[in-house]
Amino acid sequence: MAEGITKKFYGTGTYVQSAGVHTDLEIDGFSVAVCQELGVELSRHRSRSFDEMEQWGDDLGSFDLVVALSPASQRRALELTRYAHLDVEYWPIMDPTGLGQTREEKLHHYRQTRDQIIHHLTEHWGPPREDAP
């Protein structure tokens, strides 16, 4: 969600790449649904791990900032970048997986997570750019 929303809000002038500790090949359908409400297309997005990024040649040291959304990803990012000159920030975001019983309850929790991401993005980089796609 964070990568798609960031690109929607701020355009593609800034290189944004999402990664996690583990790889889930497909993006969660609830994430796709709540981002679609904002016009953010995630259905073709594929999640990747930090290890895959390294295998594909994306050196974390070439980034200016790593934003970790979970304690596990923060630990992994700090471990991988301990010799690099970049900032690692931790934004505590609720993990909505497994929350709620009904579809509507699940969507509610995913919307909360989406909105937490938006809050952090706008707090850090300001409101969405009007010229962003």
Side-chain angles (χ1 to χ4, degrees):
M1 283 197 277
E3 178 183 346
I5 294 169
T6 302
K7 288 177 177 176
K8 175 76 173 178
F9 279 20
Y10 305 108
T12 56
T14 300
Y15 184 69
V16 178
Q17 185 74 287
S18 63
V21 177
H22 303 289
T23 301
D24 295 325
L25 295 179
E26 294 187 20
I27 301 299
D28 185 296
F30 291 109
S31 294
V32 172
V34 300
C35 284
Q36 186 117 35
E37 294 171 352
L38 300 177
V40 175
E41 179 58 50
L42 293 184
S43 63
R44 289 174 283 148
H45 187 84
R46 182 187 177 281
S47 63
R48 54 201 145 286
S49 69
F50 286 118
D51 293 335
E52 284 178 322
M53 283 184 68
E54 283 186 316
Q55 290 169 3
W56 296 347
D58 279 328
D59 175 20
L60 287 180
S62 66
F63 290 84
D64 296 318
L65 173 67
V66 173
V67 176
L69 303 181
S70 73
S73 63
Q74 179 191 28
R75 283 189 302 276
R76 184 71 172 129
L78 288 170
E79 176 185 305
L80 291 170
T81 62
R82 66 179 169 261
Y83 301 113
H85 182 70
L86 66 104
D87 294 325
V88 176
E89 291 185 15
Y90 172 56
W91 296 354
I93 302 292
M94 176 184 74
D95 180 357
T97 53
L99 298 178
Q101 298 298 314
T102 67
R103 175 176 170 72
E104 205 47 52
E105 288 172 351
K106 289 177 184 296
L107 286 169
H108 169 75
H109 291 294
Y110 277 80
R111 286 181 186 115
Q112 285 181 314
T113 298
R114 176 199 65 198
D115 294 347
Q116 286 176 346
I117 292 168
I118 290 170
H119 170 77
H120 282 285
L121 287 171
T122 57
E123 189 175 78
H124 197 278
W125 286 291
R129 291 182 18 198
E130 291 184 27
D131 62 341

